[in-house]
Amino acid sequence: MPEGPEPLDWTGQALECGACRFQDLLESGHCGLGWSCLNDRYAKRIERFFLLNPELADENLGHPYFETRVQAARTASVFRLPRLLADEDPAVRGMAVLRLPAAHAERLIRDPDRAVRIAVAHRLPPGGLLPMLQDKDGHVRLIVARRAETGMLPMLCADPDPEVRAEVARRIDPAFLDRFRTDPEPLVRRVAARRRPGLFVADDDLRVRHTVAEEGGREELRRLVSDPEDIIRETAIQRLAHLKE
């Protein structure tokens, strides 16, 4: 049964099964108007067509409609995909990056489209992410911060995006966490405080000090029992009592 928008081709014209070179698939149920169609502009119908007819993916990698090329690339032989790295459409290039061996991704490290670079950041081995540490897009750098070797992370400690810095604080060698004591974002300092609470016991943000009260040892807790904030004093006192048990 048809689902989604009206069945139209990628130019907005009505579809005509009788004029399609794959009309023989109708009888077997491998295609159908408004359900499974190579020439439809609706991505789900194109995807279903190639799921039912994967042997046809290779010959449609040069289809004029980008979405058809994307869906064909999902199931086509990987040996046919390298040429798609130069495709005019970023969605096609991104799909090729995700399916090809990781070594191919390096070619598109500086692709002009952020979605392609995101795919590259997911595919490169952790040791190959160094050139992407300075990518202009924050989300790309966030993926790099999640996947890069920890030895690269000090280069991101001063990243302009607080979400990136927070990820760095989660993963970096603890010896570098003192770099976050003066971070302008309290939520970044909270992440660092969970790992080295002693560095943040005198932080000027109560959320950071409360994290210290939750994660710190006896020395930090003794300092916090005289904190000006009730919730921090109470947390410190309760945890000290628990540690003495």
Side-chain angles (χ1 to χ4, degrees), residues 16-244:
E16 176 53 59
C17 294
C20 178
R21 65 191 178 101
F22 300 118
Q23 60 179 293
D24 292 344
L25 297 173
L26 284 167
E27 187 175 347
S28 65
H30 281 207
C31 71
L33 194 64
W35 177 66
S36 168
C37 182
L38 170 79
N39 295 313
D40 204 307
R41 65 181 179 182
Y42 187 44
K44 288 186 177 180
R45 294 172 189 151
I46 304 171
E47 179 182 19
R48 186 176 289 124
F49 180 88
F50 287 118
L51 288 174
L52 293 170
N53 308 283
E55 71 281 359
L56 297 176
D58 285 8
E59 66 182 84
N60 283 286
L61 292 173
H63 195 280
Y65 183 37
F66 83 94
E67 192 66 68
T68 301
R69 299 197 302 277
V70 171
Q71 300 305 329
R74 287 183 186 274
T75 53
S77 166
V78 293
F79 297 106
R80 303 278 186 177
L81 298 182
R83 66 187 178 92
L84 296 185
L85 294 173
D87 193 277
E88 64 182 17
D89 191 272
V92 179
R93 299 196 301 274
M95 180 57 68
V97 166
L98 291 174
R99 288 210 56 218
L100 284 165
H104 289 269
E106 190 173 352
R107 291 170 52 184
L108 298 185
I109 280 179
R110 311 223 178 266
D111 192 276
D113 192 274
R114 72 185 291 268
V116 177
R117 299 199 308 279
I118 286 171
V120 171
H122 279 295
R123 289 295 288 139
L124 285 177
L129 289 169
L130 184 63
M132 304 194 81
L133 290 173
Q134 303 302 320
D135 192 277
K136 62 183 179 181
D137 187 87
H139 189 67
V140 175
R141 298 196 306 277
L142 178 60
I143 296 169
V144 172
R146 289 171 177 165
R147 299 193 61 245
E149 292 179 346
T150 55
M152 299 180 189
L153 296 180
M155 297 177 64
L156 289 174
C157 285
D159 191 273
D161 191 320
E163 193 173 0
V164 174
R165 299 198 305 276
E167 185 62 31
V168 172
R170 289 186 189 96
R171 297 191 58 230
I172 201 167
D173 186 301
F176 291 93
L177 287 173
D178 60 335
R179 297 190 181 188
F180 296 99
R181 294 180 71 175
T182 57
D183 192 281
E185 174 55 60
L187 297 182
V188 174
R189 302 200 301 275
R190 284 186 67 188
V191 174
R194 291 189 184 100
R195 301 184 64 203
R196 287 189 65 186
L199 293 175
F200 300 89
V201 71
D203 194 275
D204 60 5
D205 191 283
L206 70 89
R207 294 167 295 181
V208 179
R209 298 199 307 282
H210 189 258
T211 296
V212 175
E214 291 179 319
E215 304 291 340
R218 286 186 175 85
E219 182 178 347
E220 290 80 31
L221 295 175
R222 290 190 184 103
R223 293 177 62 183
L224 291 176
V225 295
S226 58
D227 192 275
E229 296 289 339
D230 292 345
I231 188 171
I232 296 176
R233 292 197 307 274
E234 292 167 2
T235 301
I237 291 169
Q238 290 174 2
R239 287 206 59 235
L240 267 176
H242 178 73
L243 290 175
K244 293 176 181 178

